[in-house]
Structure formats: C-alpha cells, structure tokens
Amino acid sequence: MTERNRRSPGESAVARSGRYPQMRGFMGRGPGFQEIPEIPETPKAALKRLLGYFKPDLRPLLALLLAAVLASLLASLAPAFIAEAVDAISRGDTGSVPGILTALIAVYLLSALFSLIQGAAGAGLSARLLKRLRNDLFQAVTSLPSGVSDRRSRGDLLSRMTSDADMVSDTVSMALTALFSGSLLLLGTQAVMFWYSVPLTLIALGTVLLTMIVTRIIARYIRKLLLRRQELLGKVNGIVEESLSNYQACVSLNMQDQNRAAFDEASDSLTRAAILAETAGNAMGPVMNTIGNLSFILVTIAGAVMAIHGLITVGTIAAFAVYARQLSRPVNMLAQVFGQIQTALAGAERIFEIMDLPRENTAGAPVPGDIRGEIEFRGVSFSYPGGAPALRNFSLCIAPGEKVALAGATGSGKSTLINLLLRFYEPDAGAILLDGRDIREFSVKSLRKTFGTVLQDTVLFSDTVRNNLTAGAPGISDSVLETRLRECGAWTLVSRIPSGTGALLTDAGARLSQGERQLLSVARTYVANPPVLILDEATSSLDTRTERHIQEALRALTGRRTCLIVAHRLSTILDADRIIVMDHGRIAEEGRHQELMAREGIYRKLFISQYSGTAT
C-alpha cells in the first residue's frame, strides 16, 4: 500500500482541506466520505480484463475483423494499379489506362464500403460493451457494504459510472476499428512494398521504427497525465455533489465563499492537468506527420537514384510515393489510437477498482415468517474505522412487542445500534440475536425486510406515489393499500394529491411539505407491515402540530410490534415501555419515564435541559 492510501478511513479529501465539515454516514456517526486515489493496475491486466467483455460479441467482432481485412487489402492493392497506369503511359500503351483506372476506382469504392461496415460493427460493439460495463459497475456500487461506500465520495463514484465508462466506450467505437484497420493496412502495405523493392521498403521501415520509439516515449508521459486528470475530475465531482446535497446547510452557515474557493482550487488543478494531457496528446499527430514527411522525402530521393540506374521503373516510384504516405497514415493512426487506448485503460482501471471492492455478504437463511420480534444485543463492541469505540460490551434484551426507546447525548451510540441491527456494519465483538438466533445466520435481504425503518431524513423516490408507498410490499393490491393508508391516517393526504397514488413525485417529492413527506414515509412502512419497527428520530424535524398528526400514524404503525425508537426529543418517548439511556457506548440508566425522572440522573438532566433550552 502506498503512502497516498494510508489516510484515515474517516478522513475525507474535503475534510482534509479544512473547507468542509466531515460528512456523516448513513445513520448517526459514521466514517464519512473520502477521496481515495487509486493504485492503477498494469495496462496489460486492465486490457486483458476489458477484452473479456467482448466474449458475448464474438460474431460481430469477427465481422469487424473480416471487414477490416478486406478494406485494408484493397487499400494496399490500390497503389499497384497506379504503378501499372504510370508504366503503361511510359511505354506508350495508353489503351490499357482506362481499364486500369476503372479497376482502381472499383478498388477504392469497395474499400470504402468495407470501412463503412467496419465502423457500423464497431459502433454496435461499443454500445453493447458500455451496457455490460455499466451494468457490472452498477451492480458493484449497489452491493458495497456501508463501511466501504461511506468512505467514498458519491461524486467520484458517479464520475466512474459516467465519464470513465463513456471513455472506454468511445475508445471501442473509434480506436478499436482504427486499431484493426491500421494494423492490417500497415502489414498489407509493407508486404506489397517488399514485393516491389526491398531497399526502398527498408528505408521506409526505418522511419517506422523511429515513429515507434517516439510514440513510446510520448505515451508514457500521456498516461501519467491522463490518470492525474481523471483523479482530479473525480475530486471536482465530489465537491460539486457534496455542495449541492448539503446546499441549505452550506447557505445557512455562509459557506458559499469557502465552497467556491474549494471548487476553484480543484477546478484550476483539473484545468492545468487537462491542458497538459490534451497538449501532450495533440502533439502526437504533428510529430508523426513530420516523421511521415521525412519518409516520403527519403523514399522519393532513393527511388529516383535507383530509377536512373535502371533498378526500378517510374511507375514503381509513383507507387512508392503513395505507399510511403500510406505507410505513415496507419502509423500515425496507431500512434493516436495508442493514446486513446491509454485513456480508456485509465478509465477502465478506475472502473475495475470499484468492481474489485468487497461486496456485501448476502448469504444466509431467510428469516422465519412467524418471527416474534425478540431482540438481544449480547456483549456487542464496535468502533468505526479510525474512530474511538462507539459501543463497549453492550448488552440489552428487548421482549417481543416491547416498545424500547434509546436516549442519550449525540455520539452515545444510539444510531450505531441501529446500523448494527440492520447489518450496515458488523460488530467487532459479541452478537445480535433475533428470536434467539444470530442475525448473521439470516440473509441481509430477508433480515432488513423484517425491520420497518422510519428515518429522520425522509427518503422519497422520483416515482409514482404508489411505487413509493409499496416499495416494501410491491405486490400489494390497490384495495389493501387503501385500507392500510386509511388505518395509518395517510389516505387524506394521498387523496388530496392530484391523480392520487398515480401521481408522479418529481425531485423526490420536493413539492410536498416536510410533514407530508414524513407522513408518506411512515405510511410506506405501515403498508409493508413489518414485524419489528425502528424509528430513528422520525418526528424531530417537524413542527408540533404536524408532529401530533404524524404521531397518530405512528401509534397505528407500532401496534403490538416490537419497537426500537431512537430519540433526541424526549417528549416523544414518554409512553415507551422502557427507556435506555446511553452514555459513551454503554447503558447508563434504564426504566420508564417517571422512574428515570425520580432518579435525578442523566435522563433527568437531559429532559430538563431540553425544556430549559440548553443543548444536549
């Protein structure tokens, strides 16, 4: 591992700059986001892996290769007709010239046709490869454990999904066809040139060797610049994404100037890197053209000397003049293609790095359908990567149907319990049991389906109201859906929305009020009818009137279910069967509200401080 990858997992690139506060994880205190510069694989490894994506398209690939062979063969034979025409004119045989020129035109037309077929086949290969590549990358991104995804900037992941994938696709559509045709044209041209004259061919090949040496030197430099450009692009995307996602918080803290400064600095670095990369890439063409012109001059002079001594004909000189140009064309093409391939490999390495990250373990047995809802934390200890212990030998047993609230100051470990219960993270020590069985025995999918979670930060999707409400129970009928919405008090809201459940929520329900969005979130959990309920500050961001309305829906939701409630606003847990007061990852107090108030301990101080306006 290099020094650049030895940063603390909880330290983001933005946090290191001092311009942004560290971003939090999925729930509660988490490891935050991080810009992790990648260690690129070797180009050969990336290329070999990328070529594996062509296996489903072997037939189109063979068609592309066949079209390239025919187009290159015809292009290699064309100058030979020019030589025949010139020699015929020099002999005074002008009668054969029209036939030769007709054949030459036919050769060029057929070569153009096969080139067109080659381009169409390359475009199809590109589109299908991009689809498979993005599918695999999306599967990888959506299967990352929370501990891994939280340490990566969402902007950087998005950059790999879009710009890096497009870069690979563009190379396939353009560079791949050029690679085939250029290589075959180079080989075909050399074969015909050797047949005409070995000395002139050796002179031309000398310039080809010079071209390869220069290309190798420039390409090494280009590769480093392209990797740097892609890293900086991911950093810029990360800053933009974080600024937009937390726009209101940034504005309320008057951080606009700091945000602009951070963006300007990263953008300036990206601009400099992009200019260097583009300049180095664009220099390849002029350098190759210069070497090609040198080859043309040397071949023409040597050919003239040989013609004077009667070693070759004038037609051969004319053909070699064309061949010298034709030889430099595929060399220049391959040189530019090599630069494009380097760009694609840089993007492919970044994509494969995400694909190679550890996936979330989804193996396990399904949770039984007759689950009672008994939850036990048995000696659980846990620390976020690079952080202090969040839980210390924590033990707690929740009986089936019991309503247990978690209270305590920020950072006491309340949300960490929820993260572990939902298996967003795995405990460092101890076990969590559901009906007496370790939750690690169950598959993640069935386990999380057992828990109905209502978060403080409401999450709605840009989809219909119905699809939002039935996300946890996609097969539910309209009649059952309406019944459950009436039971939890959300039907009035849904019926008031134009088009009802068929209405499309744009921008994740941005046109709805916070209370309406939260009510839909509660209703979604009620519709799923889970046996165990988790409420993570479900009403803390609402006004008193709206909270009272939501609380009615929550009472319908909780029923006789096992409930685990995370609360900062202690007034929302007065009716809890048991209140667990946490302090630095341990249980400090437990009991009902009146019992804890009578003890004059941590809970009483928290309760009084809230009503007196003191921060907790």
Side-chain angles (χ1 to χ4, degrees):
M1 181 179 291
T2 61
E3 183 63 30
R4 62 180 180 177
N5 280 340
R6 293 197 184 104
R7 301 187 179 102
S8 167
E11 181 186 12
S12 69
V14 185
R16 288 193 302 272
S17 70
R19 294 183 175 91
Y20 291 89
Q22 184 175 349
M23 307 306 296
R24 297 298 182 189
F26 180 79
M27 297 171 64
R29 186 174 62 184
F33 296 113
Q34 181 183 15
E35 286 284 352
I36 305 178
E38 63 275 11
I39 301 176
E41 298 178 280
T42 60
K44 291 182 179 179
L47 179 60
K48 181 180 179 181
R49 189 167 176 180
L50 191 59
L51 290 176
Y53 279 85
F54 288 103
K55 288 183 178 179
D57 285 319
L58 288 180
R59 288 185 179 180
L61 191 61
L62 291 175
L64 172 65
L65 181 59
L66 179 60
V69 169
L70 294 175
S72 300
L73 178 62
L74 293 171
S76 300
L77 293 177
F81 288 93
I82 296 177
E84 289 295 327
V86 172
D87 286 340
I89 294 173
S90 7
R91 294 192 306 267
D93 184 13
T94 56
S96 62
V97 172
I100 296 174
L101 294 180
T102 301
L104 177 61
I105 293 173
V107 166
Y108 277 130
L109 289 176
L110 287 174
S111 178
L113 176 62
F114 287 120
S115 296
L116 181 62
I117 295 174
Q118 181 185 356
L125 284 171
S126 170
R128 289 187 291 272
L129 179 138
L130 179 61
K131 178 183 177 181
R132 288 192 290 270
L133 196 64
R134 276 195 174 144
N135 283 346
D136 288 352
L137 181 57
F138 188 76
Q139 290 292 331
V141 169
T142 54
S143 301
L144 294 177
S146 293
V148 176
S149 62
D150 282 349
R151 293 196 297 271
R152 291 190 169 268
S153 164
R154 285 175 288 179
D156 181 60
L157 291 176
L158 183 61
S159 174
R160 298 180 194 230
M161 178 72 74
T162 54
S163 61
D164 288 333
D166 285 336
M167 185 189 305
V168 174
S169 173
D170 291 343
T171 299
V172 171
S173 62
M174 294 184 293
L176 184 61
T177 55
L179 181 64
F180 278 151
S181 60
S183 300
L184 293 172
L185 182 60
L186 181 62
L187 293 175
T189 300
Q190 289 179 13
V192 178
M193 290 175 70
F194 270 117
W195 184 75
Y196 271 108
S197 174
V198 174
L200 290 181
T201 304
L202 293 176
I203 293 175
L205 290 180
T207 59
V208 172
L209 179 62
L210 177 62
T211 299
M212 295 174 63
I213 295 173
V214 174
T215 300
R216 186 174 181 85
I217 295 173
I218 297 178
R220 285 180 178 177
Y221 181 60
I222 290 176
R223 175 177 170 77
K224 295 179 181 179
L225 293 177
L226 292 175
L227 284 174
R228 176 61 178 165
R229 184 186 68 180
Q230 290 306 111
E231 290 176 1
L232 290 172
L233 178 60
K235 183 176 181 180
V236 168
N237 288 340
I239 293 175
V240 172
E241 194 276 334
E242 289 180 356
S243 298
L244 294 179
S245 298
N246 303 278
Y247 179 76
Q248 291 183 345
C250 294
V251 171
S252 63
L253 294 171
N254 291 318
M255 294 179 61
Q256 295 95 320
D257 291 340
Q258 297 176 20
N259 293 355
R260 294 191 193 101
F263 177 81
D264 288 344
E265 180 181 348
S267 182
D268 289 344
S269 299
L270 175 60
T271 301
R272 288 191 293 269
I275 291 174
L276 287 175
E278 292 296 328
T279 301
N282 293 333
M284 189 79 75
V287 171
M288 297 303 105
N289 285 332
T290 300
I291 297 176
N293 291 333
L294 176 63
S295 173
F296 176 75
I297 294 172
L298 292 176
V299 166
T300 303
I301 293 175
V305 173
M306 294 176 67
I308 292 174
H309 292 82
L311 299 177
I312 58 175
T313 65
V314 177
T316 301
I317 298 178
F320 256 89
V322 178
Y323 277 126
R325 285 291 189 184
Q326 189 163 292
L327 186 66
S328 64
R329 184 159 54 104
V331 171
N332 293 344
M333 183 190 303
L334 291 174
Q336 293 176 3
V337 166
F338 189 75
Q340 291 175 339
I341 291 176
Q342 293 298 311
T343 303
L345 291 180
E349 287 168 351
R350 286 164 51 83
I351 291 173
F352 293 145
E353 183 201 5
I354 300 300
M355 291 185 184
D356 291 338
L357 291 174
R359 305 290 182 91
E360 187 174 46
N361 183 13
T362 59
V367 176
D370 57 347
I371 196 77
R372 295 182 298 112
E374 181 186 16
I375 301 172
E376 181 183 357
F377 295 88
R378 184 180 293 174
V380 174
S381 297
F382 176 75
S383 300
Y384 289 105
L391 293 176
R392 309 165 189 263
N393 195 27
F394 181 88
S395 295
L396 173 66
C397 187
I398 303 173
E402 187 178 15
K403 186 177 181 180
V404 174
L406 301 175
T410 301
S412 60
K414 304 184 299 298
S415 293
T416 299
L417 286 177
I418 308 302
N419 285 332
L420 295 176
L421 185 59
L422 294 172
R423 289 190 65 185
F424 293 135
Y425 301 94
E426 300 291 348
D428 300 330
I432 303 174
L433 309 180
L434 178 63
D435 281 6
R437 295 177 60 180
D438 194 318
I439 61 173
R440 285 171 289 196
E441 298 178 12
F442 303 121
S443 69
V444 171
K445 184 176 181 180
S446 65
L447 178 70
R448 292 172 184 166
K449 191 175 182 179
T450 303
F451 299 109
T453 307
V454 182
L455 303 175
Q456 173 183 356
D457 297 325
T458 306
V459 177
L460 295 177
F461 306 101
S462 297
D463 204 338
T464 63
V465 173
R466 190 187 197 287
N467 288 343
N468 271 277
L469 292 172
T470 60
I476 195 171
S477 65
D478 290 340
S479 59
V480 176
L481 174 61
E482 180 179 344
T483 299
R484 292 185 179 176
L485 291 178
R486 289 184 184 278
E487 290 174 351
C488 69
W491 179 251
T492 302
L493 168 61
V494 173
S495 59
R496 195 170 62 243
I497 299 176
S499 301
T501 57
L504 181 64
L505 297 181
T506 57
D507 297 328
R511 295 185 180 182
L512 299 176
S513 68
Q514 178 65 25
E516 290 172 334
R517 298 173 74 245
Q518 189 68 55
L519 181 56
L520 289 180
S521 178
V522 173
R524 175 172 56 200
T525 305
Y526 188 88
V527 169
N529 195 28
V532 180
L533 184 64
I534 298 173
L535 305 178
D536 184 23
E537 288 293 341
T539 62
S540 63
S541 60
L542 304 177
D543 61 85
T544 305
R545 180 181 177 182
T546 305
E547 179 190 0
R548 189 179 303 112
H549 186 58
I550 301 272
Q551 286 290 355
E552 294 176 0
L554 289 174
R555 277 192 288 272
L557 175 61
T558 54
R560 295 183 178 181
R561 294 180 176 89
T562 302
C563 296
L564 190 57
I565 305 171
V566 177
H568 279 294
R569 190 185 294 183
L570 302 182
S571 61
T572 62
I573 58 173
L574 300 182
D575 62 340
D577 297 327
R578 191 161 36 128
I579 299 174
I580 306 299
V581 183
M582 301 186 63
D583 184 41
H584 294 93
R586 293 191 176 95
I587 297 178
E589 299 173 341
E590 65 176 296
R592 296 182 67 88
H593 170 71
Q594 295 299 336
E595 296 172 358
L596 295 175
M597 290 296 291
R599 292 179 188 177
E600 299 186 358
I602 295 177
Y603 180 81
R604 179 181 174 87
K605 292 179 181 178
L606 288 172
F607 193 86
I608 293 176
S609 65
Q610 284 190 7
Y611 282 93
S612 64
T614 307
T616 59

